[in-house]
Amino acid sequence: MQTMKQKRGWSLRDVIFLAIIGIFFGVIYQVWSYAYYLIAATPLKPYANDLTLGVWIMAGPLAGVLLQKAGATIIGELLAAAVEMLLFSSWGAANLISGFIQGLGNEIGFACTGYKNWSKLGLLFSTIGATIITFIWDWFQSGYSEYQAGLLITLLIIRFISIGFFAGVLVYWIKKLVLKTGLNK
């Protein structure tokens, strides 16, 4: 288990890093919405949200693993959601609510490790937290409460895989690449 001493306080470098992550992912999120709409225009429509959700959750865990600070996942996700909204997202200000919910799920995951594991275990808990919290949100917000049990189980599994790959595995690989560059020092 990789543990790292949590750095106290926020430096200017941390804030700049967060802003860069927010801007970068805000643009990616806006572009990614076309993938969602492409899937939603097919018979796979009921699965579109869960298949694509993992990408929309990447900013939070990446901010967390790079900055290793409590609150970084929520702030990173909110900044990306704000940038996406400002790029005329079709979801408008609702992006901010979604960004908060998604960041909260990730934050809960890292909190389960006591903010001591920012590697694979932390990302696994982050994935689980984001999967559960966003699924509960969609239960109320997106009408999942009307779905049959079989579809709900399928959607939950697809959501976990999507978040696990994009906001877990891919974020871990990005972290390793950033560490090689020395930008995190």
Short mmCIF file of all heavy atoms in Angstrom, two decimals, residues 92-142:
data_model
loop_
_atom_site.label_atom_id
_atom_site.label_comp_id
_atom_site.label_asym_id
_atom_site.label_seq_id
_atom_site.Cartn_x
_atom_site.Cartn_y
_atom_site.Cartn_z
N GLY A 92 -26.28 23.07 -19.23
CA GLY A 92 -26.26 24.36 -18.54
C GLY A 92 -25.75 24.29 -17.11
O GLY A 92 -24.80 23.57 -16.81
N ALA A 93 -26.39 25.03 -16.23
CA ALA A 93 -25.95 25.12 -14.84
C ALA A 93 -26.08 23.80 -14.09
O ALA A 93 -25.45 23.62 -13.04
CB ALA A 93 -26.72 26.21 -14.12
N ALA A 94 -26.85 22.86 -14.61
CA ALA A 94 -26.95 21.54 -13.99
C ALA A 94 -25.59 20.85 -13.95
O ALA A 94 -25.37 19.94 -13.14
CB ALA A 94 -27.97 20.67 -14.73
N ASN A 95 -24.68 21.28 -14.83
CA ASN A 95 -23.31 20.74 -14.80
C ASN A 95 -22.68 20.92 -13.42
O ASN A 95 -21.94 20.07 -12.96
CB ASN A 95 -22.41 21.45 -15.82
CG ASN A 95 -22.61 20.93 -17.21
OD1 ASN A 95 -23.32 19.97 -17.43
ND2 ASN A 95 -21.97 21.57 -18.16
N LEU A 96 -22.95 22.06 -12.80
CA LEU A 96 -22.35 22.34 -11.50
C LEU A 96 -22.85 21.36 -10.43
O LEU A 96 -22.07 20.90 -9.60
CB LEU A 96 -22.62 23.78 -11.07
CG LEU A 96 -22.05 24.85 -12.01
CD1 LEU A 96 -22.46 26.24 -11.54
CD2 LEU A 96 -20.54 24.74 -12.11
N ILE A 97 -24.12 21.04 -10.49
CA ILE A 97 -24.67 20.06 -9.54
C ILE A 97 -24.05 18.69 -9.81
O ILE A 97 -23.59 18.01 -8.88
CB ILE A 97 -26.21 19.99 -9.63
CG1 ILE A 97 -26.81 21.35 -9.26
CG2 ILE A 97 -26.76 18.87 -8.75
CD1 ILE A 97 -28.28 21.48 -9.59
N SER A 98 -24.00 18.30 -11.07
CA SER A 98 -23.40 17.02 -11.43
C SER A 98 -21.93 16.97 -11.03
O SER A 98 -21.45 15.96 -10.50
CB SER A 98 -23.53 16.75 -12.93
OG SER A 98 -24.87 16.58 -13.28
N GLY A 99 -21.21 18.06 -11.28
CA GLY A 99 -19.80 18.12 -10.90
C GLY A 99 -19.61 17.94 -9.41
O GLY A 99 -18.70 17.23 -8.96
N PHE A 100 -20.48 18.58 -8.63
CA PHE A 100 -20.38 18.43 -7.18
C PHE A 100 -20.66 16.99 -6.76
O PHE A 100 -19.93 16.41 -5.95
CB PHE A 100 -21.34 19.39 -6.46
CG PHE A 100 -21.32 19.21 -4.98
CD1 PHE A 100 -20.27 19.70 -4.21
CD2 PHE A 100 -22.34 18.51 -4.34
CE1 PHE A 100 -20.25 19.51 -2.83
CE2 PHE A 100 -22.33 18.32 -2.97
CZ PHE A 100 -21.28 18.82 -2.22
N ILE A 101 -21.73 16.40 -7.29
CA ILE A 101 -22.10 15.01 -6.94
C ILE A 101 -20.97 14.06 -7.32
O ILE A 101 -20.58 13.19 -6.53
CB ILE A 101 -23.41 14.60 -7.67
CG1 ILE A 101 -24.59 15.48 -7.23
CG2 ILE A 101 -23.71 13.12 -7.49
CD1 ILE A 101 -25.02 15.30 -5.81
N GLN A 102 -20.42 14.22 -8.53
CA GLN A 102 -19.35 13.34 -8.99
C GLN A 102 -18.10 13.51 -8.12
O GLN A 102 -17.47 12.54 -7.71
CB GLN A 102 -19.04 13.62 -10.45
CG GLN A 102 -20.18 13.23 -11.36
CD GLN A 102 -20.13 13.88 -12.73
OE1 GLN A 102 -19.22 14.64 -13.04
NE2 GLN A 102 -21.11 13.58 -13.56
N GLY A 103 -17.74 14.76 -7.85
CA GLY A 103 -16.57 15.02 -7.00
C GLY A 103 -16.77 14.49 -5.60
O GLY A 103 -15.83 13.95 -4.99
N LEU A 104 -17.97 14.61 -5.07
CA LEU A 104 -18.27 14.10 -3.73
C LEU A 104 -18.07 12.59 -3.66
O LEU A 104 -17.49 12.07 -2.70
CB LEU A 104 -19.71 14.47 -3.34
CG LEU A 104 -20.18 13.98 -1.97
CD1 LEU A 104 -19.37 14.63 -0.85
CD2 LEU A 104 -21.67 14.27 -1.81
N GLY A 105 -18.55 11.88 -4.68
CA GLY A 105 -18.36 10.42 -4.72
C GLY A 105 -16.90 10.04 -4.68
O GLY A 105 -16.49 9.14 -3.93
N ASN A 106 -16.10 10.74 -5.46
CA ASN A 106 -14.65 10.48 -5.46
C ASN A 106 -14.02 10.85 -4.12
O ASN A 106 -13.17 10.15 -3.60
CB ASN A 106 -13.97 11.25 -6.59
CG ASN A 106 -14.29 10.67 -7.93
OD1 ASN A 106 -14.05 9.51 -8.18
ND2 ASN A 106 -14.86 11.47 -8.80
N GLU A 107 -14.43 11.98 -3.59
CA GLU A 107 -13.88 12.46 -2.32
C GLU A 107 -14.15 11.45 -1.20
O GLU A 107 -13.27 11.18 -0.38
CB GLU A 107 -14.49 13.82 -1.97
CG GLU A 107 -13.80 14.54 -0.85
CD GLU A 107 -12.47 15.16 -1.25
OE1 GLU A 107 -12.28 15.52 -2.43
OE2 GLU A 107 -11.62 15.29 -0.36
N ILE A 108 -15.34 10.90 -1.17
CA ILE A 108 -15.69 9.90 -0.16
C ILE A 108 -14.75 8.69 -0.29
O ILE A 108 -14.30 8.13 0.71
CB ILE A 108 -17.17 9.49 -0.28
CG1 ILE A 108 -18.07 10.63 0.18
CG2 ILE A 108 -17.46 8.20 0.50
CD1 ILE A 108 -19.55 10.43 -0.12
N GLY A 109 -14.46 8.31 -1.52
CA GLY A 109 -13.55 7.19 -1.75
C GLY A 109 -12.17 7.44 -1.17
O GLY A 109 -11.60 6.58 -0.47
N PHE A 110 -11.59 8.60 -1.44
CA PHE A 110 -10.27 8.91 -0.89
C PHE A 110 -10.33 9.09 0.62
O PHE A 110 -9.38 8.74 1.33
CB PHE A 110 -9.67 10.15 -1.55
CG PHE A 110 -9.22 9.90 -2.97
CD1 PHE A 110 -9.80 10.59 -4.03
CD2 PHE A 110 -8.22 8.99 -3.25
CE1 PHE A 110 -9.39 10.36 -5.33
CE2 PHE A 110 -7.80 8.74 -4.55
CZ PHE A 110 -8.40 9.43 -5.60
N ALA A 111 -11.44 9.61 1.12
CA ALA A 111 -11.61 9.77 2.58
C ALA A 111 -11.61 8.41 3.27
O ALA A 111 -11.16 8.30 4.41
CB ALA A 111 -12.89 10.54 2.88
N CYS A 112 -12.12 7.38 2.60
CA CYS A 112 -12.12 6.03 3.18
C CYS A 112 -10.71 5.52 3.46
O CYS A 112 -10.53 4.65 4.31
CB CYS A 112 -12.85 5.05 2.26
SG CYS A 112 -14.64 5.26 2.26
N THR A 113 -9.72 6.05 2.80
CA THR A 113 -8.33 5.67 3.06
C THR A 113 -7.69 6.63 4.05
O THR A 113 -6.49 6.55 4.30
CB THR A 113 -7.48 5.66 1.77
OG1 THR A 113 -7.25 7.00 1.34
CG2 THR A 113 -8.13 4.84 0.67
N GLY A 114 -8.47 7.55 4.58
CA GLY A 114 -7.93 8.56 5.49
C GLY A 114 -7.03 9.54 4.75
O GLY A 114 -6.15 10.15 5.35
N TYR A 115 -7.27 9.67 3.44
CA TYR A 115 -6.43 10.52 2.57
C TYR A 115 -4.97 10.11 2.66
O TYR A 115 -4.07 10.94 2.58
CB TYR A 115 -6.60 12.01 2.91
CG TYR A 115 -7.99 12.52 2.65
CD1 TYR A 115 -8.86 12.77 3.70
CD2 TYR A 115 -8.44 12.74 1.36
CE1 TYR A 115 -10.15 13.23 3.47
CE2 TYR A 115 -9.72 13.19 1.11
CZ TYR A 115 -10.58 13.44 2.17
OH TYR A 115 -11.85 13.89 1.93
N LYS A 116 -4.72 8.82 2.81
CA LYS A 116 -3.36 8.31 2.90
C LYS A 116 -2.94 7.51 1.68
O LYS A 116 -1.77 7.24 1.48
CB LYS A 116 -3.19 7.47 4.16
CG LYS A 116 -3.32 8.26 5.44
CD LYS A 116 -3.01 7.39 6.63
CE LYS A 116 -3.27 8.01 7.96
NZ LYS A 116 -3.07 9.36 8.19
N ASN A 117 -3.90 7.07 0.88
CA ASN A 117 -3.56 6.28 -0.30
C ASN A 117 -4.10 6.97 -1.54
O ASN A 117 -5.31 7.04 -1.76
CB ASN A 117 -4.13 4.87 -0.20
CG ASN A 117 -3.60 3.97 -1.28
OD1 ASN A 117 -3.71 4.27 -2.46
ND2 ASN A 117 -3.00 2.86 -0.88
N TRP A 118 -3.19 7.47 -2.35
CA TRP A 118 -3.55 8.20 -3.56
C TRP A 118 -3.19 7.38 -4.80
O TRP A 118 -3.06 7.91 -5.89
CB TRP A 118 -2.84 9.54 -3.60
CG TRP A 118 -3.20 10.41 -2.45
CD1 TRP A 118 -2.51 10.55 -1.29
CD2 TRP A 118 -4.37 11.22 -2.32
NE1 TRP A 118 -3.18 11.41 -0.45
CE2 TRP A 118 -4.31 11.84 -1.06
CE3 TRP A 118 -5.46 11.49 -3.15
CZ2 TRP A 118 -5.29 12.72 -0.61
CZ3 TRP A 118 -6.43 12.36 -2.70
CH2 TRP A 118 -6.35 12.96 -1.44
N SER A 119 -3.02 6.08 -4.60
CA SER A 119 -2.64 5.21 -5.70
C SER A 119 -3.79 4.27 -6.04
O SER A 119 -4.95 4.69 -6.04
CB SER A 119 -1.37 4.45 -5.33
OG SER A 119 -0.78 3.86 -6.45
N LYS A 120 -3.48 3.01 -6.31
CA LYS A 120 -4.50 2.07 -6.79
C LYS A 120 -5.64 1.87 -5.81
O LYS A 120 -6.81 1.88 -6.20
CB LYS A 120 -3.84 0.74 -7.13
CG LYS A 120 -2.92 0.81 -8.33
CD LYS A 120 -2.25 -0.52 -8.58
CE LYS A 120 -1.27 -0.41 -9.72
NZ LYS A 120 -0.52 -1.67 -9.90
N LEU A 121 -5.33 1.68 -4.53
CA LEU A 121 -6.39 1.45 -3.55
C LEU A 121 -7.28 2.68 -3.42
O LEU A 121 -8.51 2.57 -3.40
CB LEU A 121 -5.81 1.07 -2.19
CG LEU A 121 -6.83 0.78 -1.10
CD1 LEU A 121 -7.68 -0.46 -1.46
CD2 LEU A 121 -6.14 0.58 0.25
N GLY A 122 -6.68 3.86 -3.35
CA GLY A 122 -7.45 5.09 -3.28
C GLY A 122 -8.34 5.28 -4.49
O GLY A 122 -9.51 5.68 -4.38
N LEU A 123 -7.80 4.96 -5.67
CA LEU A 123 -8.60 5.08 -6.89
C LEU A 123 -9.72 4.04 -6.94
O LEU A 123 -10.79 4.31 -7.46
CB LEU A 123 -7.70 4.98 -8.13
CG LEU A 123 -6.88 6.23 -8.42
CD1 LEU A 123 -5.81 5.95 -9.46
CD2 LEU A 123 -7.78 7.36 -8.89
N LEU A 124 -9.47 2.85 -6.39
CA LEU A 124 -10.54 1.85 -6.32
C LEU A 124 -11.68 2.35 -5.44
O LEU A 124 -12.85 2.30 -5.84
CB LEU A 124 -10.00 0.52 -5.78
CG LEU A 124 -11.08 -0.55 -5.52
CD1 LEU A 124 -11.79 -0.95 -6.80
CD2 LEU A 124 -10.45 -1.77 -4.85
N PHE A 125 -11.35 2.86 -4.25
CA PHE A 125 -12.39 3.39 -3.38
C PHE A 125 -13.07 4.61 -4.01
O PHE A 125 -14.27 4.80 -3.85
CB PHE A 125 -11.82 3.75 -2.00
CG PHE A 125 -11.56 2.57 -1.12
CD1 PHE A 125 -10.45 2.52 -0.30
CD2 PHE A 125 -12.44 1.50 -1.07
CE1 PHE A 125 -10.21 1.44 0.54
CE2 PHE A 125 -12.22 0.41 -0.24
CZ PHE A 125 -11.09 0.38 0.56
N SER A 126 -12.30 5.40 -4.71
CA SER A 126 -12.85 6.57 -5.41
C SER A 126 -13.86 6.12 -6.48
O SER A 126 -14.93 6.70 -6.62
CB SER A 126 -11.71 7.37 -6.04
OG SER A 126 -12.20 8.41 -6.83
N THR A 127 -13.51 5.06 -7.20
CA THR A 127 -14.40 4.50 -8.22
C THR A 127 -15.68 3.97 -7.58
O THR A 127 -16.78 4.23 -8.08
CB THR A 127 -13.69 3.36 -8.99
OG1 THR A 127 -12.59 3.93 -9.71
CG2 THR A 127 -14.62 2.65 -9.94
N ILE A 128 -15.54 3.26 -6.49
CA ILE A 128 -16.71 2.72 -5.80
C ILE A 128 -17.59 3.86 -5.29
O ILE A 128 -18.82 3.85 -5.46
CB ILE A 128 -16.29 1.77 -4.66
CG1 ILE A 128 -15.63 0.51 -5.24
CG2 ILE A 128 -17.49 1.40 -3.78
CD1 ILE A 128 -14.92 -0.36 -4.22
N GLY A 129 -16.97 4.85 -4.65
CA GLY A 129 -17.72 5.99 -4.13
C GLY A 129 -18.46 6.74 -5.22
O GLY A 129 -19.65 7.06 -5.07
N ALA A 130 -17.77 7.01 -6.32
CA ALA A 130 -18.40 7.73 -7.43
C ALA A 130 -19.52 6.91 -8.05
O ALA A 130 -20.57 7.44 -8.41
CB ALA A 130 -17.37 8.10 -8.48
N THR A 131 -19.32 5.60 -8.17
CA THR A 131 -20.36 4.74 -8.74
C THR A 131 -21.62 4.78 -7.88
O THR A 131 -22.73 4.98 -8.39
CB THR A 131 -19.85 3.29 -8.87
OG1 THR A 131 -18.70 3.26 -9.73
CG2 THR A 131 -20.93 2.37 -9.42
N ILE A 132 -21.45 4.63 -6.59
CA ILE A 132 -22.61 4.58 -5.69
C ILE A 132 -23.31 5.94 -5.62
O ILE A 132 -24.54 6.03 -5.77
CB ILE A 132 -22.19 4.10 -4.29
CG1 ILE A 132 -21.76 2.64 -4.35
CG2 ILE A 132 -23.32 4.31 -3.27
CD1 ILE A 132 -21.08 2.13 -3.10
N ILE A 133 -22.55 7.00 -5.38
CA ILE A 133 -23.15 8.33 -5.20
C ILE A 133 -23.85 8.79 -6.48
O ILE A 133 -24.97 9.30 -6.44
CB ILE A 133 -22.09 9.36 -4.75
CG1 ILE A 133 -21.56 9.00 -3.37
CG2 ILE A 133 -22.64 10.78 -4.79
CD1 ILE A 133 -22.58 9.03 -2.25
N THR A 134 -23.20 8.61 -7.64
CA THR A 134 -23.84 9.06 -8.89
C THR A 134 -25.04 8.19 -9.24
O THR A 134 -26.00 8.67 -9.84
CB THR A 134 -22.85 9.09 -10.07
OG1 THR A 134 -22.31 7.76 -10.29
CG2 THR A 134 -21.72 10.07 -9.81
N PHE A 135 -25.00 6.91 -8.87
CA PHE A 135 -26.14 6.04 -9.14
C PHE A 135 -27.34 6.46 -8.30
O PHE A 135 -28.47 6.51 -8.78
CB PHE A 135 -25.79 4.57 -8.89
CG PHE A 135 -26.71 3.61 -9.57
CD1 PHE A 135 -26.55 3.30 -10.91
CD2 PHE A 135 -27.76 3.01 -8.88
CE1 PHE A 135 -27.40 2.42 -11.56
CE2 PHE A 135 -28.61 2.13 -9.50
CZ PHE A 135 -28.44 1.83 -10.85
N ILE A 136 -27.08 6.78 -7.03
CA ILE A 136 -28.16 7.28 -6.17
C ILE A 136 -28.73 8.57 -6.74
O ILE A 136 -29.95 8.77 -6.78
CB ILE A 136 -27.66 7.48 -4.72
CG1 ILE A 136 -27.35 6.13 -4.07
CG2 ILE A 136 -28.66 8.27 -3.89
CD1 ILE A 136 -26.60 6.21 -2.76
N TRP A 137 -27.85 9.46 -7.21
CA TRP A 137 -28.30 10.72 -7.82
C TRP A 137 -29.19 10.44 -9.03
O TRP A 137 -30.26 11.03 -9.18
CB TRP A 137 -27.09 11.57 -8.21
CG TRP A 137 -27.46 12.80 -8.98
CD1 TRP A 137 -27.20 13.04 -10.30
CD2 TRP A 137 -28.14 13.96 -8.50
NE1 TRP A 137 -27.69 14.27 -10.66
CE2 TRP A 137 -28.28 14.86 -9.57
CE3 TRP A 137 -28.68 14.32 -7.26
CZ2 TRP A 137 -28.91 16.08 -9.45
CZ3 TRP A 137 -29.30 15.55 -7.15
CH2 TRP A 137 -29.41 16.41 -8.23
N ASP A 138 -28.76 9.52 -9.90
CA ASP A 138 -29.56 9.21 -11.08
C ASP A 138 -30.86 8.48 -10.72
O ASP A 138 -31.82 8.54 -11.48
CB ASP A 138 -28.74 8.40 -12.10
CG ASP A 138 -27.83 9.29 -12.92
OD1 ASP A 138 -28.21 10.45 -13.17
OD2 ASP A 138 -26.74 8.83 -13.32
N TRP A 139 -30.87 7.80 -9.60
CA TRP A 139 -32.11 7.16 -9.13
C TRP A 139 -33.21 8.21 -9.01
O TRP A 139 -34.34 7.98 -9.41
CB TRP A 139 -31.84 6.48 -7.79
CG TRP A 139 -33.04 5.81 -7.21
CD1 TRP A 139 -33.97 6.37 -6.36
CD2 TRP A 139 -33.46 4.47 -7.43
NE1 TRP A 139 -34.93 5.45 -6.04
CE2 TRP A 139 -34.65 4.27 -6.68
CE3 TRP A 139 -32.96 3.42 -8.19
CZ2 TRP A 139 -35.32 3.05 -6.67
CZ3 TRP A 139 -33.63 2.22 -8.17
CH2 TRP A 139 -34.80 2.04 -7.42
N PHE A 140 -32.85 9.37 -8.46
CA PHE A 140 -33.83 10.44 -8.26
C PHE A 140 -33.90 11.40 -9.45
O PHE A 140 -34.98 11.78 -9.89
CB PHE A 140 -33.49 11.23 -6.99
CG PHE A 140 -33.57 10.40 -5.75
CD1 PHE A 140 -32.43 9.92 -5.14
CD2 PHE A 140 -34.81 10.07 -5.21
CE1 PHE A 140 -32.51 9.15 -4.00
CE2 PHE A 140 -34.90 9.29 -4.07
CZ PHE A 140 -33.74 8.82 -3.46
N GLN A 141 -32.76 11.79 -9.99
CA GLN A 141 -32.69 12.81 -11.03
C GLN A 141 -33.08 12.30 -12.42
O GLN A 141 -33.74 13.00 -13.17
CB GLN A 141 -31.27 13.40 -11.08
CG GLN A 141 -31.01 14.38 -12.18
CD GLN A 141 -31.86 15.64 -12.07
OE1 GLN A 141 -32.32 16.01 -11.00
NE2 GLN A 141 -32.08 16.29 -13.19
N SER A 142 -32.64 11.10 -12.75
CA SER A 142 -32.81 10.60 -14.12
C SER A 142 -33.88 9.53 -14.25
O SER A 142 -33.98 8.89 -15.30
CB SER A 142 -31.47 10.06 -14.63
OG SER A 142 -30.49 11.07 -14.59
#
